[in-house]
Amino acid sequence: MSLSFPLNREHFERLDRDDPLCDSRALFDLPSGEIYLDGNSLGAMPAHVPARLERVLKQEWAHGLIRSWNDADWYPAPQRTGGKIARLIGAGAEEVIVADSTSINLFKVLVAATRMRPGRKVILGENGNFPTDVYVASGVAELTGCELRCVEPEQVLEALTEDVAILSLTHVNYKSGRRYDMAAITARAHEVGALVVWDLCHSAGAMPIDLNGSQADFAVGCGYKYLNGGPGAPAFVYVAERHIPHVRQPLTGWHGHARPFAFSHDYEAHPTIDRMLVGTAPQLGVLALEAALEVFDGVDMQVLRKKSVALCDLFIQLCDERLAGLGVELRSPRDAEQRGSQVSLAHADAYPVMQALIARGVIGDFRAPDILRFGFAPLYNRYVDIWDSVQALREVLESGEWNRPEFIARKSVT
Amino acid sequence: MSLSFPLNREHFERLDRDDPLCDSRALFDLPSGEIYLDGNSLGAMPAHVPARLERVLKQEWAHGLIRSWNDADWYPAPQRTGGKIARLIGAGAEEVIVADSTSINLFKVLVAATRMRPGRKVILGENGNFPTDVYVASGVAELTGCELRCVEPEQVLEALTEDVAILSLTHVNYKSGRRYDMAAITARAHEVGALVVWDLCHSAGAMPIDLNGSQADFAVGCGYKYLNGGPGAPAFVYVAERHIPHVRQPLTGWHGHARPFAFSHDYEAHPTIDRMLVGTAPQLGVLALEAALEVFDGVDMQVLRKKSVALCDLFIQLCDERLAGLGVELRSPRDAEQRGSQVSLAHADAYPVMQALIARGVIGDFRAPDILRFGFAPLYNRYVDIWDSVQALREVLESGEWNRPEFIARKSVT
């Protein structure tokens, strides 16, 4: 094949020098001598987060104590942090709140949505979705007397029939990086009277998203991937403004109450997005996420997307060129329009190959059964990382060094 | 009335010198010049927590990155931390796990319990329970087609009829500090074939609890009160070993799956207590809680309870003596056997009185409509704190200084 760029590292160094986002990398604390291509699993740490957390602990908790719920503005942190995420996903600040985990938020919106379509009994899902999405939907189906109907991704549009209450999809697939056309699918679902729940775990913070422009109904997403909120960071939930007054979510905890500190006996949902809250917010996680989001301040998400596409395209082209005949096959869409910010490669021995690559300081991850997964975070990944990581992968494959016991033994978390 | 002790501060200083727990206070970072009697709302910070969190952030997250799920043992942290709590509540280490919030854990066990009693349709609750317990139970009742029947606390035993599927009670009441006889009530519930869910928010870490000895079925509790896990710390959930294989909780997220990293399409509950997990654990909160629990290492919970009773008894006796005629009325049981580790006083102007007291450096809290609430944490509260806080309250009431605009204006969190 013919390459559109010169096959040397200098070309990639030049791209870094010309990168309008090149200053963002310095905002992160990254391990030296390593290339991190797993920000789609756990985002890197913005360097200012520890100082913020230290203040939270030593001043706000230790010395402010209970007063900090008011005096340090802990109480409105889920709303404030949701508002910061809203800009990244094309939502109004009052439509997004930070709470709990993605799985739990998905449960809330799925049950709430079935209640908004009482005559319908089908939750339409997709095969190959991230497992928790399917597991949670099946749990909701059992509780609400619905049927969970899963189809292949390419059959989603035709499966949208008049009996579908909810369509539950993940915007960018965790394994392949395939991206749905959010606006077109939402429009088609609305034509048949269905509501749509979008899981943004693998797209929020990695590209511009236009929930409002797509007339999206509900969305959930993760705080610890491209949003860099830290391990197990709280998730977010979006409810379109037009739906908020009608949403009755089933996890009726006191923080979702209209007047939590009236301590009344009967539940009354808060009139705003606050009704999606349940218990006390996990403050350390919320405040770390809030601080982490500052790295997006002033970032034009179109510029970020342009770099993301360039990184992925270059990675794919280099793999084509440098890994030919080494048993690797592209499993992500070649067309950037249909792709998120990751590239997945299949290899028969993907698990030990990835371990050997990590031992060389190039950190991607493995997804069962045979996927090498590389996520590209435009705020801290460089163009030279593309060159160096493909080079390292080539050496791992050519040398066969992955075929060692220490790389073959499986760890509990992959 | 006749006091059982001399009415001077020296007596309380002497009690502190003789206190077998007197060394524990130094394990906490407390604001100087203040008395903190609100550990039943947000526990004080163990002084070593910031160093642990700094390591989590700067080493494990920033430099270990995704590898830390294995290499820093993040993944088993919910189990490990649950195991540490188990000792404090009379449970086996394999019966307790840390996850989500109290409200969410309550939802899980209530739905799971209704599924274990399919022929019965009543969830029995209590009036005056902490609101989230009632709200969540009403949400579960609606979802599962059950009836939530709430009775006065003293009517619970007679309300245990053969149609009751679940009895849902809080061990120590948040407002009055009244404590139920866990063993007797559980035994009576079992006689009529009901399962019991105990909320331990106001007792875990404040006294010995004997879940196993009481044949308790399920329990939930809070990480941020007497367990000192920090603001919004994750909660815990207990399932009796005999029930674990039969528990089908409705929040079927991937971390509760038998093999989360197989990424299979169908949900299969983990064979152990892990099935109570949902999404990725909020690691910053879990690891802070795990570290915080070290202050209980080597603590004999019977000794801790003895001090708790002494603190509360002395506080009540001093209030009787020093606050007579100042409009204050005891709202907690006088009998320590029926009381947790807090004392509640009613006063017509409780809100501004508490604000004025806080301004004097004695931090308790207010609970609507008229309660001054004082929690006693035996690991860091001293006997002199009792003397000094009653003295301060007397001065606030005698002077009428609470009757100022800055104390009357309500804050959003009370």
Side-chain angles (χ1 to χ4, degrees):
Chain A
M1 69 172 294
S2 74
L3 277 177
S4 60
F5 53 87
L7 202 60
N8 59 54
R9 195 174 193 275
E10 289 67 35
H11 174 69
F12 292 81
E13 289 170 354
R14 206 155 40 237
L15 290 172
D16 280 322
R17 280 196 298 276
D18 296 342
D19 174 12
L21 292 174
C22 65
D23 292 339
S24 291
R25 182 177 167 88
L27 300 175
F28 291 84
D29 182 351
L30 291 158
S32 63
E34 296 190 320
I35 297 172
Y36 192 58
L37 302 179
D38 207 11
N40 51 336
S41 187
L42 174 66
M45 187 182 78
H48 64 288
V49 169
R52 172 71 185 114
L53 257 287
E54 190 179 12
R55 207 162 65 243
V56 170
L57 296 173
K58 293 187 177 173
Q59 291 174 31
E60 296 174 10
W61 176 15
H63 295 173
L65 287 160
I66 192 69
R67 293 167 290 202
S68 289
W69 284 104
N70 290 304
D71 299 350
D73 274 332
W74 284 354
Y75 193 64
Q79 292 84 344
R80 216 163 53 222
T81 310
K84 291 192 85 160
I85 294 171
R87 179 182 81 83
L88 307 180
I89 58 177
E94 267 81 63
E95 295 176 312
V96 183
I97 198 159
V98 162
D100 305 313
S101 66
T102 303
S103 299
I104 290 171
N105 288 333
L106 194 57
F107 182 87
K108 295 175 201 169
V109 296
L110 285 175
V111 173
T114 61
R115 288 172 167 174
M116 291 168 68
R117 290 292 179 272
R120 299 180 177 214
K121 288 290 167 202
V122 174
I123 300 172
L124 183 62
E126 46 165 336
N127 292 328
N129 198 348
F130 187 74
T132 216
D133 295 68
V134 181
Y135 302 159
V136 169
S138 74
V140 169
E142 181 181 356
L143 260 182
T144 58
C146 286
E147 171 203 347
L148 172 62
R149 190 181 290 167
C150 286
V151 300
E152 294 302 310
E154 54 274 17
Q155 294 168 338
V156 164
L157 285 180
E158 64 194 89
L160 275 167
T161 46
E162 302 277 339
D163 56 347
V164 174
I166 314 164
L167 173 61
S168 174
L169 295 177
T170 294
H171 187 207
V172 170
N173 186 269
Y174 79 105
K175 202 187 254 184
S176 67
R178 186 213 59 240
R179 182 171 71 150
Y180 281 117
D181 183 336
M182 178 183 285
I185 290 177
T186 303
R188 175 68 192 135
H190 287 175
E191 279 171 26
V192 301
L195 295 163
V196 188
V197 175
W198 287 104
D199 179 337
L200 306 179
C201 280
H202 286 270
S203 46
M207 64 193 66
I209 298 172
D210 192 4
L211 287 173
N212 284 169
S214 305
Q215 290 284 308
D217 301 296
F218 301 98
V220 298
C222 173
Y224 57 77
K225 297 181 188 293
Y226 294 102
L227 298 182
N228 310 307
F236 64 87
V237 54
Y238 156 90
V239 179
E241 192 182 13
R242 65 187 179 281
H243 291 320
I244 290 176
H246 313 294
V247 161
R248 291 198 310 111
Q249 64 97 347
L251 297 169
T252 46
W254 67 306
H255 278 256
H257 194 279
R259 290 168 305 281
F261 294 93
F263 296 96
S264 62
H265 185 78
D266 294 313
Y267 185 75
E268 182 191 339
H270 199 282
T272 73
I273 188 77
D274 290 22
R275 63 177 54 192
M276 303 310 286
L277 297 176
V278 187
T280 305
Q283 280 296 322
L284 302 186
V286 174
L287 297 171
L289 173 58
E290 181 186 26
L293 287 166
E294 288 174 22
V295 298
F296 285 97
D297 286 354
V299 170
D300 180 333
M301 295 302 283
Q302 302 290 346
V303 171
L304 181 136
R305 170 68 180 166
K306 202 172 154 195
K307 180 176 175 186
S308 157
V309 168
L311 291 169
C312 293
D313 280 348
L314 286 167
F315 187 85
I316 291 172
Q317 290 171 59
L318 263 190
C319 286
D320 285 344
E321 176 68 26
R322 309 282 284 165
L323 307 182
L326 291 171
V328 156
E329 198 180 304
L330 179 67
R331 283 293 169 83
S332 294
R334 206 168 271 277
D335 175 8
E337 269 306 296
Q338 297 178 41
R339 200 178 57 217
S341 195
Q342 75 176 65
V343 175
S344 300
L345 306 173
H347 186 281
D349 294 290
Y351 186 83
V353 166
M354 181 52 76
Q355 302 314 307
L357 193 61
I358 292 171
R360 277 178 174 264
V362 177
I363 305 169
D365 65 20
F366 161 81
R367 281 296 172 258
D370 63 350
I371 296 293
L372 300 163
R373 199 171 68 147
F374 301 93
F376 300 97
L379 291 184
Y380 53 83
N381 286 138
R382 296 167 301 194
Y383 287 94
V384 288
D385 294 341
I386 302 298
W387 176 267
D388 293 340
S389 58
V390 176
Q391 190 63 26
L393 182 53
R394 179 186 163 117
E395 288 167 21
V396 163
L397 293 170
E398 279 189 337
S399 68
E401 70 195 49
W402 55 266
N403 194 8
R404 289 193 212 140
E406 71 264 34
F407 298 141
I408 291 169
R410 293 276 171 119
K411 296 180 176 172
S412 53
V413 180
T414 67
Chain B
M1 70 172 292
S2 74
L3 277 176
S4 59
F5 52 87
L7 202 60
N8 58 53
R9 196 174 192 274
E10 289 66 36
H11 174 69
F12 292 81
E13 290 169 355
R14 206 156 39 237
L15 291 172
D16 280 322
R17 280 196 300 276
D18 296 341
D19 174 12
L21 292 174
C22 65
D23 292 339
S24 291
R25 182 176 167 89
L27 301 175
F28 291 84
D29 182 351
L30 291 158
S32 63
E34 296 190 320
I35 297 171
Y36 192 58
L37 302 179
D38 206 12
N40 51 335
S41 187
L42 174 67
M45 188 181 79
H48 64 289
V49 169
R52 172 71 185 115
L53 257 287
E54 189 179 14
R55 207 162 66 242
V56 170
L57 296 173
K58 292 187 177 174
Q59 291 174 30
E60 296 174 9
W61 176 15
H63 294 171
L65 286 160
I66 192 69
R67 293 166 290 202
S68 290
W69 284 104
N70 291 303
D71 299 349
D73 274 333
W74 284 354
Y75 193 64
Q79 292 84 343
R80 216 163 53 222
T81 310
K84 290 192 86 158
I85 294 171
R87 179 182 82 83
L88 306 180
I89 58 177
E94 267 81 63
E95 295 176 311
V96 183
I97 198 160
V98 162
D100 306 313
S101 65
T102 304
S103 299
I104 289 171
N105 288 332
L106 194 58
F107 182 86
K108 295 175 200 168
V109 297
L110 286 175
V111 173
T114 61
R115 287 172 167 173
M116 291 168 69
R117 290 292 178 273
R120 299 180 177 214
K121 288 290 167 202
V122 174
I123 300 172
L124 182 62
E126 46 165 337
N127 293 327
N129 199 348
F130 187 74
T132 216
D133 294 68
V134 181
Y135 302 159
V136 168
S138 73
V140 169
E142 181 182 356
L143 260 181
T144 58
C146 287
E147 171 203 347
L148 172 62
R149 189 181 291 167
C150 286
V151 300
E152 294 302 311
E154 55 274 18
Q155 294 168 338
V156 164
L157 285 180
E158 64 194 90
L160 275 167
T161 46
E162 302 277 339
D163 56 347
V164 173
I166 314 164
L167 173 61
S168 175
L169 296 177
T170 295
H171 187 207
V172 171
N173 185 269
Y174 79 106
K175 203 187 253 185
S176 67
R178 186 213 58 242
R179 182 171 72 149
Y180 280 118
D181 182 336
M182 178 182 285
I185 290 177
T186 303
R188 175 68 192 136
H190 287 175
E191 278 171 26
V192 300
L195 295 163
V196 188
V197 175
W198 287 104
D199 179 336
L200 306 179
C201 279
H202 286 270
S203 46
M207 65 193 66
I209 298 173
D210 192 4
L211 287 173
N212 284 170
S214 305
Q215 291 284 308
D217 301 295
F218 301 98
V220 298
C222 173
Y224 56 77
K225 297 181 189 293
Y226 294 102
L227 298 181
N228 310 306
F236 64 87
V237 54
Y238 156 89
V239 180
E241 192 182 14
R242 65 187 179 280
H243 292 321
I244 290 176
H246 312 293
V247 161
R248 293 198 309 110
Q249 64 97 348
L251 297 170
T252 46
W254 67 306
H255 278 256
H257 194 279
R259 290 169 304 281
F261 294 93
F263 296 96
S264 61
H265 185 79
D266 294 313
Y267 185 76
E268 182 191 339
H270 199 282
T272 72
I273 188 76
D274 290 22
R275 62 177 54 192
M276 302 310 285
L277 297 176
V278 186
T280 305
Q283 280 296 322
L284 302 186
V286 175
L287 297 171
L289 173 58
E290 181 186 26
L293 287 166
E294 288 174 22
V295 298
F296 285 97
D297 287 353
V299 170
D300 180 334
M301 295 302 283
Q302 302 290 348
V303 171
L304 181 135
R305 170 69 179 166
K306 202 172 155 197
K307 180 175 175 187
S308 158
V309 168
L311 291 169
C312 292
D313 280 347
L314 286 167
F315 187 84
I316 291 172
Q317 291 171 58
L318 263 190
C319 286
D320 285 343
E321 175 69 25
R322 309 281 284 164
L323 307 182
L326 290 171
V328 156
E329 197 180 305
L330 180 67
R331 283 292 169 84
S332 293
R334 206 169 271 277
D335 175 9
E337 269 306 297
Q338 296 179 41
R339 198 179 57 217
S341 195
Q342 75 176 65
V343 175
S344 300
L345 307 173
H347 186 282
D349 294 290
Y351 186 82
V353 166
M354 181 51 76
Q355 302 315 306
L357 193 61
I358 292 171
R360 278 179 174 264
V362 177
I363 306 169
D365 65 19
F366 161 81
R367 282 295 172 258
D370 63 350
I371 296 293
L372 300 163
R373 199 171 67 147
F374 301 92
F376 300 96
L379 291 185
Y380 53 83
N381 285 139
R382 296 167 300 194
Y383 288 94
V384 287
D385 294 342
I386 303 297
W387 175 268
D388 293 339
S389 57
V390 176
Q391 190 64 25
L393 181 53
R394 178 186 164 115
E395 287 167 22
V396 163
L397 293 170
E398 279 189 337
S399 68
E401 69 195 50
W402 55 266
N403 194 8
R404 289 192 212 140
E406 71 264 33
F407 298 141
I408 291 168
R410 293 275 171 120
K411 296 179 177 174
S412 52
V413 179
T414 67

